Every structure is written in structure tokens, then in C-alpha cells.
Amino acid sequence: MAAVFCVLTVSAQTEKWSVGGRIGSGLEAVGQYHLGTVAGKPFYIEGRFGMSWTDKVTRTYNDPILGSYRLTGNANAAGLTANFTVLAAWRCFEFGQLDAGGFFSDFGCGINVGGAENFAYVGVSGLARVGFKFSSVPVALSFDWTPTFGPDIIYGQGISDAGFHAYGLANLGITCTYSF
């Protein structure tokens, strides 16, 4: 991934960048690099880095020797974790053109990783986004769903366990980006 970003940075003189933020299931900085068109549709790479507060996981175990006990994977009571996502996305539809701007819909896929203390998750992510791009300023405001399908891993107290990362399906957010 680092090599891809280096190559993209070298050729940035002719391409378009967007930066901004996303709030919802977490708080993230967003960067988008617009590569042109692929299969006739605008194509871009999006990177997000920040924190998520929906990732607390607790499992209860019944061990015949140790008895019943709970193992919690989180950084604190709020379930705050570091979160990093990379997505490849296409602007599939542009519609509802108004004097103020126009609506758009993007779809894509990528990878999401994160974790804290004794908890980690990784998975394949999808992207479904609907937004509005203003014509008077280079700003876009959008709502997206970025579900992640993969395992969450709790480790510690002499035990490690993996299960489906159910909170990855609750990855919703509002993104605002500025293009230059």
C-alpha cells in the first residue's frame, strides 16, 4: 500500500486530490486520489485513518476447570479502537443536477483493519455512498455505508479467540471533502 501511495504522489501534478473528514461510527481523516476513469466511470482511491467507537466485544466462556469467565476485547469501556481503511471506488451515477450542484452515487471495495490493547479486526470492506457535490465550491457532502466482513480477535489472559466482526456491519458515516 505504501508503494501505491508513493507512485500516486509522484503523478499528483495532473490528478485531483480530495481531503476531509468522516463522522459516524467513528471519527476519521479522509483522503481521496482521483485516478481518472476506469471502464468509463470516474475512479478513485480513498484512505481513512482515525478511531472507531463501536468495537467493544465481550465473550463469555464456560470452562470445566476454570469455571465461567468473561474476556473483553476493547481499549476502554467505550470500545475505542484505531481504524484504517483503504478503498477503490467508482462514481457510478450522477443525477439530479441543480444550479447548486448535483447528486452522485459511488460504489467500491477495499480492506479495513483496526484494534486496541487486546482486540484486533481485519476484513474486506464494501462501499455504498450517496452524496451531493456543490457547483459553487469544490466540496462534496455524502452519506456512506462501509460494511466490513471478517474476524475480530480477542487475545490475552492466556486465551485467544476469533469470531465474526459483527460491528463491522454498523460502519456508517457522513463524509465532507474538499477537492483541489
Side-chain angles (χ1 to χ4, degrees):
M1 284 189 281
V4 169
F5 283 120
C6 289
V7 169
L8 296 177
T9 303
V10 169
S11 64
Q13 294 81 10
T14 60
E15 299 298 330
K16 191 174 183 182
W17 284 91
S18 298
V19 294
R22 180 177 185 264
I23 189 164
S25 57
L27 181 62
E28 299 166 305
V30 176
Q32 297 173 344
Y33 183 74
H34 302 267
L35 293 163
T37 60
V38 173
K41 300 291 184 184
F43 177 75
Y44 62 94
I45 303 293
E46 177 172 304
R48 302 177 189 163
F49 181 73
M51 60 184 167
S52 175
W53 45 68
T54 62
D55 292 313
K56 181 177 178 181
V57 175
T58 301
R59 293 198 180 95
T60 301
Y61 299 92
N62 294 308
D63 187 286
I65 297 171
L66 300 175
S68 181
Y69 60 93
R70 295 172 65 100
L71 183 61
T72 301
N74 68 333
N76 56 36
L80 188 64
T81 59
N83 189 44
F84 179 68
T85 307
V86 175
L87 299 160
W90 288 265
R91 170 112 343 130
C92 294
F93 304 105
E94 292 181 347
F95 54 95
Q97 296 300 317
L98 306 169
D99 289 339
F103 292 93
F104 63 88
S105 184
D106 298 346
F107 297 93
C109 60
I111 188 166
N112 176 240
V113 296
E117 212 171 301
N118 64 335
F119 172 67
Y121 55 90
V122 62
V124 175
S125 289
L127 171 67
R129 172 179 283 148
V130 176
F132 187 81
K133 185 172 181 177
F134 295 91
S135 58
S136 59
V137 292
V139 173
L141 185 63
S142 61
F143 173 77
D144 72 79
W145 179 46
T146 310
T148 299
F149 302 93
D152 60 28
I153 302 144
I154 299 176
Y155 50 91
Q157 300 176 8
I159 298 168
S160 64
D161 184 46
F164 179 70
H165 183 53
Y167 282 112
L169 300 177
N171 191 348
L172 300 166
I174 296 172
T175 304
C176 183
T177 57
Y178 176 83
S179 299
F180 57 95

